[in-house]
């Protein structure tokens, strides 16, 4: 199976807004402006939202955190020049596209992205893809980058954490009328969720805070803690693991001591908080708190606020390591995972089958949106491609590709063999004339200056991640021949993480190199 992903305008259908946009010279009704494209080859069906659901969701503003809490995360070196939410995935997308698309598909049209670390790439992507245009007439996607504020000078110039970021931006967020709740979302997680369900549960229970908890996660990161739930899904206790390895538990002052129906579930780091509760927590109860997960949420539980859990039984991966990133990409090409639904997910999980991300990208009912690039179709010349995902604008010559994600503008030379790898792609095409000039001036150039962007002839890659604009020469072998689990060759353009060779962005791997 080969999936070619082309960034096409959606099929004409019933518009959700009174406006129509021009796409390639033709006017067609779209549920979104033309600057937001649906990047898959299936016909797109308009989302059917009742008037009640629209009103319910439109009173919620989403706040997306574009990066993690650390400038150097476990996704390094993929985060060397970009934040976690900006990491490319599945050939055509960024991680944050999945979260923004969840909001759009849930009819939440007031979306804010708070960014700080290495945010240039993420800010550019969000601004070009989603900002400056109306979603549903009045909705906005607005990027709020970390800024210097005289009012918070005592706490430093930048966001000190998720809670501090919201506090410093509250003067913008609180002006949103008639918003009644804030939905706080990490921007680097991969999942598909209908946020209308958590909103409905939150309002039905009349909770102050509702936390999404995963019932089937196999890759939980303890940074979000564990929730102890009673038989009515009210959070009675919270356990959190700090960086030094110590665990601390917070219990509600109104805790039900009965063990009937009690269970522990991992928190997904997704919080729905009433607007007035948010202001009281940040300004009155915990004015010096910097982090939501480790300070504000446990504190709210401890002081007796009504904190409920919304149990989510679908796929969720928080993509906090190179291994998780690699696995999510590999699962995105599995044919049997395409178009999964909640029932099949639960059934397959009970059977011990790990169901992963492809449904998030290939489901025409709830599409994933991204930035249109206007690239040419991928050119394939006598290549043998199986079980792979090919992005837009690639030039693939006489090579063999198996079980690989190939990102946009990738060029692969004759005789190359690529297996079980992730090629993120390139920002530019290297002109043929430039390559010929490099050859003619070879006497005055170093070898690595003559290597074009892409994968060279007769090269072999297996279980590798190749970051953007990397230049891999001819006859290169990247197979981790020594079976190293962790290695640091950053000075030479690569590192090894969890047994996976990662070629750095803009790295040059000379002809004949063996890794």
């Amino acid at each position: 199976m080969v999936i070619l992903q082309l960034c096409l305008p959606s099929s004409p259908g019933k518009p959700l807004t009174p406006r129509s946009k021009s796409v390639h010279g033709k006017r067609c009704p779209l549920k979104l402006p033309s600057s937001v494209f649906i990047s898959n080859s299936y016909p797109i069906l308009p989302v059917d939202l009742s008037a009640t659901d629209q009103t319910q969701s439109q009173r919620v503003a989403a706040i997306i955190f574009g990066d993690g809490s650390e400038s150097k995360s476990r996704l390094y070196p993929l985060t060397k020049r970009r934040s976690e939410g900006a990491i490319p995935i599945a050939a055509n997308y960024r991680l944050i596209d999945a979260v923004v698309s969840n909001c759009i598909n849930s009819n939440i049209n007031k979306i804010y992205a708070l960014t700080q670390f290495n945010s240039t790439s993420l800010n550019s992507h969000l601004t070009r893809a989603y900002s400056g245009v109306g979603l549903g007439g009045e909705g906005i996607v607005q990027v709020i980058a970390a800024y210097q504020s005289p009012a918070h000078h005592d706490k430093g110039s930048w966001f000190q954490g998720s809670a501090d970021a919201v506090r410093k931006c509250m003067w913008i967020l609180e002006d949103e009328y008639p918003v009644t709740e804030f939905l706080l979302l990490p921007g680097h997680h991969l999942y598909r969720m209908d946020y209308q369900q958590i909103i409905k549960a939150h309002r039905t229970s009349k909770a102050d805070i509702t936390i999404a908890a995963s019932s089937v996660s196999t890759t939980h990161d303890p940074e979000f803690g564990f929730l102890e739930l009673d038989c009515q899904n009210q959070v009675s206790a919270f356990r959190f693991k700090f960086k030094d390895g110590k665990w601390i538990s917070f219990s509600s002052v109104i805790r039900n001591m009965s063990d009937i129906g009690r269970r522990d579930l991992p928190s997904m780091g997704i919080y729905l908080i009433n607007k007035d509760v948010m202001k009281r927590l940040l300004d009155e109860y915990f004015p010096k708190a910097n982090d939501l997960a480790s300070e504000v949420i446990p504190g709210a539980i401890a002081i007796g606020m009504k904190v409920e859990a919304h149990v989510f039984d679908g796929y969720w991966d928080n993509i906090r390591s190179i291994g998780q990133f690699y696995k999510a990409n590999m699962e995105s090409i599995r044919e049997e995972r395409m178009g999964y639904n909640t029932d099949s997910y639960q059934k397959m999980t009970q059977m011990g089958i790990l169901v992963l991300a492809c449904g998030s990208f290939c489901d025409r009912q709830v599409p994933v949106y991204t930035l249109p690039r206007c690239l040419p179709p991928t050119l394939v010349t006598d290549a043998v491609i199986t079980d792979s995902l090919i992005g837009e604008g690639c030039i693939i010559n006489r090579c063999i590709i198996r079980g690989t994600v190939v990102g946009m503008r990738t060029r692969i030379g004759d005789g190359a063999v690529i297996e079980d790898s992730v090629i993120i792609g390139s920002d530019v095409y290297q002109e043929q004339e430039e390559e010929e000039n490099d050859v003619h001036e070879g006497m005055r150039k170093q070898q690595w200056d003559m290597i074009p962007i892409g994968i060279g002839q007769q090269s072999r890659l297996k279980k590798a991640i190749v970051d953007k604009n990397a230049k891999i020469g001819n006859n290169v072998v990247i197979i981790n021949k020594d079976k190293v689990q962790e290695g640091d060759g950053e000075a030479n353009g690569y590192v090894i993480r969890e047994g996976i060779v990662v070629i750095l962005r803009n790295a040059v791997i000379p002809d004949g190199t063996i890794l």
Side-chain angles (χ1 to χ4, degrees), residues 22 70 125 132 210 218 240 269 291 331 361 486:
S22 175
E70 299 179 2
H125 175 77
T210 297
T218 59
F240 186 84
D291 187 60
E331 290 293 339
F361 297 103
E486 299 291 327

Side-chain angles (χ1 to χ4, degrees), residues 52-191:
T52 302
D53 289 338
Q54 291 188 34
T55 302
Q56 172 176 280
S57 299
Q58 288 174 355
R59 299 208 312 267
V60 177
I63 302 173
I64 301 175
F65 300 103
D67 46 44
S69 58
E70 299 179 2
S71 58
K72 188 172 182 178
S73 74
R74 282 178 287 163
L75 282 163
Y76 189 88
L78 298 181
T79 54
K80 185 176 182 178
R81 297 291 180 86
R82 61 171 79 90
S83 61
E84 293 169 341
I87 295 176
I89 190 170
N92 279 356
Y93 305 93
R94 306 289 186 109
L95 276 174
I96 202 168
D97 287 330
V99 182
V100 174
S101 297
N102 281 338
C103 293
I104 294 172
N105 292 326
S106 301
N107 203 42
I108 295 174
N109 54 22
K110 292 179 175 61
I111 307 169
Y112 298 90
L114 308 187
T115 66
Q116 177 163 302
F117 295 118
N118 285 334
S119 61
T120 300
S121 177
L122 180 61
N123 293 348
S124 174
H125 175 77
L126 290 171
T127 301
R128 291 187 294 160
Y130 305 104
S131 297
V133 295
L135 302 178
E138 298 179 354
I140 59 171
V141 180
Q142 182 175 343
V143 177
I144 305 178
Y147 63 93
Q148 295 180 346
S149 171
H152 301 91
H153 182 70
D154 59 319
K155 300 202 73 173
S157 300
W158 308 111
F159 299 155
Q160 303 300 303
S162 54
D164 185 57
V166 174
R167 183 186 296 110
K168 288 179 177 177
C169 297
M170 187 60 74
W171 65 277
I172 299 174
L173 304 173
E174 67 183 354
D175 289 337
E176 285 298 330
Y177 181 84
V179 168
T180 56
E181 295 101 354
F182 291 119
L183 180 64
L184 290 85
L185 306 165
H188 57 277
H189 291 188
L190 190 60
Y191 63 99

Side-chain angles (χ1 to χ4, degrees), residues 181-412:
E181 295 101 354
F182 291 119
L183 180 64
L184 290 85
L185 306 165
H188 57 277
H189 291 188
L190 190 60
Y191 63 99
R192 186 179 64 225
M193 180 188 289
D194 181 3
Y195 296 137
Q196 293 179 36
Q197 300 301 317
I198 190 172
I199 295 170
K200 182 179 179 180
H202 178 80
R203 292 175 179 169
T204 300
S205 66
K206 297 182 180 179
D208 296 313
I209 301 171
T210 297
I211 305 173
S214 174
S215 64
V216 292
S217 173
T218 59
T219 58
H220 176 64
D221 191 319
E223 71 168 309
F224 299 114
F226 286 84
L227 308 176
E228 183 180 296
L229 313 182
D230 62 20
C231 59
Q232 297 179 335
N233 278 349
Q234 185 163 346
V235 179
S236 57
F238 179 88
R239 290 184 293 113
F240 186 84
K241 184 178 182 180
F242 287 94
K243 293 180 182 179
D244 59 6
K246 294 181 180 179
W247 286 86
I248 187 169
S249 180
F250 302 84
S251 298
S252 172
V253 295
I254 55 173
R255 181 179 182 181
N256 181 1
M257 298 306 295
S258 173
D259 289 328
I260 299 176
R262 180 175 298 173
R263 53 179 172 165
D264 288 350
L265 293 178
S267 167
M268 297 171 63
I270 296 173
Y271 313 111
L272 184 63
I273 306 179
N274 294 339
K275 180 179 177 180
D276 59 328
V277 171
M278 175 79 82
K279 284 186 60 64
R280 292 205 311 271
L281 285 171
L282 296 180
D283 295 338
E284 298 176 19
Y285 292 113
F286 310 105
K288 296 183 179 181
N290 290 328
D291 187 60
L292 288 167
S294 63
E295 297 176 87
V296 176
I297 298 301
I301 296 170
I303 64 177
M305 283 191 169
K306 188 175 184 180
V307 181
E308 296 282 327
H310 174 72
V311 179
F312 179 66
D313 54 13
Y315 166 82
W316 169 63
D317 198 331
N318 54 4
I319 313 291
R320 290 310 302 271
S321 70
I322 293 295
Q324 289 176 338
F325 172 79
Y326 175 82
K327 183 187 296 183
N329 275 280
M330 290 296 98
E331 290 293 339
S332 73
I333 64 179
R334 300 288 179 87
E335 184 175 13
E336 64 270 22
R337 307 301 189 231
M338 296 177 62
Y340 72 83
N341 54 44
T342 301
D343 292 336
S344 63
Y345 180 91
Q346 291 175 317
K347 186 181 296 184
M348 295 176 76
T349 301
Q350 291 169 0
M351 295 171 60
I353 301 173
L354 183 59
V355 183
L356 286 176
C358 191
S360 298
F361 297 103
C362 301
D363 193 326
R364 62 182 181 176
Q365 298 286 352
V366 280
V368 179
Y369 302 93
T370 191
L371 175 70
R373 281 94 175 179
C374 300
L375 291 172
T378 287
L379 176 62
V380 180
T381 306
D382 289 342
V384 178
I385 306 174
T386 55
D387 296 328
S388 296
L389 192 66
I390 310 298
E392 307 162 286
C394 297
I395 301 174
I396 299 176
N397 294 306
R398 297 170 180 83
C399 62
I400 297 174
I401 300 175
R402 301 189 188 101
T404 293
V405 174
V406 181
M408 295 176 292
R409 302 186 189 90
T410 296
R411 187 181 64 172
I412 302 176

Side-chain angles (χ1 to χ4, degrees), residues 33-50:
S34 59
S35 62
V36 182
F37 271 35
I38 305 163
S39 183
N40 63 44
S41 57
Y42 292 95
I44 303 305
L45 304 179
V47 178
D48 182 17
L49 295 171
S50 67

